[in-house]
Amino acid sequence: MIPVSHLFDQSTLATLLDHDPVVADYRAFFSLIDWSLVEQWERSQSTHRRPPLHSERAYLKAFLLRIREGFLYSTQLRQFLLKHPLLIIDFDFHLVLDPQKPYGFDAQKTLPSRFWLSKKLRWLDQGLLQQLLEATVSALQAQIPGLGETVAFDVKHIYAWVKENNPRAYIKERFDKDQVLIGDPDCKLGVKRSTNQEQPDGSTKEKKELLWGYGSGVAAATTPDYGDVVLAEYTQPFNENDVTYFRPLSQRAALALQHFPTHITADAAYDAWYIYEAAARHGGIAAVPLNQHGHLVYERASDGVPLCPKKLRMHPTYQFNHTYGYRAQRFRCPLLFPQATGNTCDHAQFGKGKGCVKDVNWERGARMRVSLNRESPLYKAIYTQRTSCERINSQAKEIGIERPRVHNHRSVANLNTLTYVIINVRALSRAISINRGLLQMI
């Protein structure tokens, strides 16, 4: 709605809207977002409730502006909009009309209070935000052929807005993981970084850098010409291991892409058999460094069959469902199975009459994990794409994702999703510009 005032009639206000540089900038930015999803969401809400004063679209535009402008607080967002009343009109807030005001409405009465803006951020529908992010991926696919053939996974740490994260504040039980913090009852204590420090006696001691907060997991893809794209994101409290992000991220990425990626890459924290399984099922590989997690290493043949301590290829007997959820294969001593050869062995287990026994994870992913050639050109080419997540994390940090000024999990998660929407919209704008330039060269 375009109001009318004692200074400007509607045609003048419409002209001001069309020529204001700030309005023009945000119109161009928002034109790359699929707002029909918001309209569908609004129609799906219960008709028995009183309709909201302002549309969901107006709130989402305001929160995207908050992140894009680098504002930490709702107060800053509100003050900015008060200084740019044309944005209030263009964002489609429900105006409190007042012809005596310069722009025909009372901006103070129109805008929600700081308290309500903070509350609304918390109660945004996370499902709707995920749909908006998925829509940016679809739009990017239309511009970038082959997007998502290789997907990288990583986690970015986020500091909760609590005094326990302030090293200058005296906290008696700063790192008591069982306490519930007053500043943010949803955040958890986790390890940001772990290093080994050499002691005077030559030994090493593990040093852990702890923080209270959240982890923002991302699935990303990159192309040489178009740069980096966020395919999916997922937020959890920081006490969860990195590998727990994989399944929700891979599901969301496949939903956004409408296909499964061929190859997967991540750091050593993702060295789990089901990561490789996800790639093996679709004819690809998982370029992940091997991490034994402190377990003993035993030798394998090139096809994954274990070798006994005497370097003999062990004999497969039967398969069974392991309690850890995978299909396992039992291997026995080759000197005793399938029948005794008459040869002897000095191993203790052989003396007991049963020989060595190994129960091996025999899923395709588990076999890929131990047999993958990590020096091959294919592995190295895919693994280098892992840096796309690092660049996405760098962009997100620059926008302000690392230290949000909110006090709960829902608000952090909503800010994170909106941050990645902004990153993808920027990527989409860049891709459209590149493709337009290529067409002009033809």
Side-chain angles (χ1 to χ4, degrees), residues 332-351:
R332 304 297 296 266
C333 173
L335 301 181
L336 298 176
F337 293 88
Q339 57 191 12
T341 63
N343 296 326
T344 60
C345 176
D346 58 2
H347 195 276
Q349 290 297 105
F350 191 87

Side-chain angles (χ1 to χ4, degrees), residues 225-279:
D225 298 326
Y226 298 95
D228 307 301
V229 172
V230 180
L231 302 178
E233 66 87 28
Y234 183 64
T235 301
Q236 293 189 108
F238 201 50
N239 60 333
E240 300 292 344
N241 294 327
D242 286 8
V243 74
T244 63
Y245 289 81
F246 176 75
R247 284 194 168 115
L249 281 175
S250 61
Q251 290 169 2
R252 290 182 176 184
L255 182 62
L257 292 168
Q258 291 297 295
H259 67 78
F260 292 98
T262 303
H263 304 295
I264 291 170
T265 184
D267 60 28
Y270 289 83
D271 183 37
W273 72 268
Y274 51 85
I275 310 292
Y276 299 87
E277 184 77 13

Side-chain angles (χ1 to χ4, degrees), residues 105-123:
F105 71 99
D106 190 320
Q108 285 282 1
K109 293 181 179 179
T110 294
L111 285 179
S113 66
R114 177 208 61 80
F115 170 79
W116 182 250
L117 285 171
S118 298
K119 187 174 182 180
K120 179 61 180 179
L121 174 63
R122 179 178 183 177
W123 292 108

Side-chain angles (χ1 to χ4, degrees), residues 11 37 59 65 123 125 170 224 238 248 270 275 299 319 322 328 344 381:
S11 62
L37 296 170
Y59 281 116
L65 180 147
W123 292 108
D125 189 298
Y170 172 73
F238 201 50
Y270 289 83
I275 310 292
E299 290 189 60
Q319 294 187 3
H322 199 279
T344 60

Side-chain angles (χ1 to χ4, degrees), residues 1 3-5 53-54 78 81-82 85 88-89 93-112:
M1 177 178 65
V4 63
S5 73
L53 180 61
H54 301 295
R78 198 171 189 277
L81 289 173
L82 289 174
I88 300 176
I89 299 173
F93 280 99
H94 184 77
L95 305 179
V96 177
L97 299 179
D98 185 347
Q100 300 307 311
K101 298 292 183 179
Y103 292 94
F105 71 99
D106 190 320
Q108 285 282 1
K109 293 181 179 179
T110 294
L111 285 179

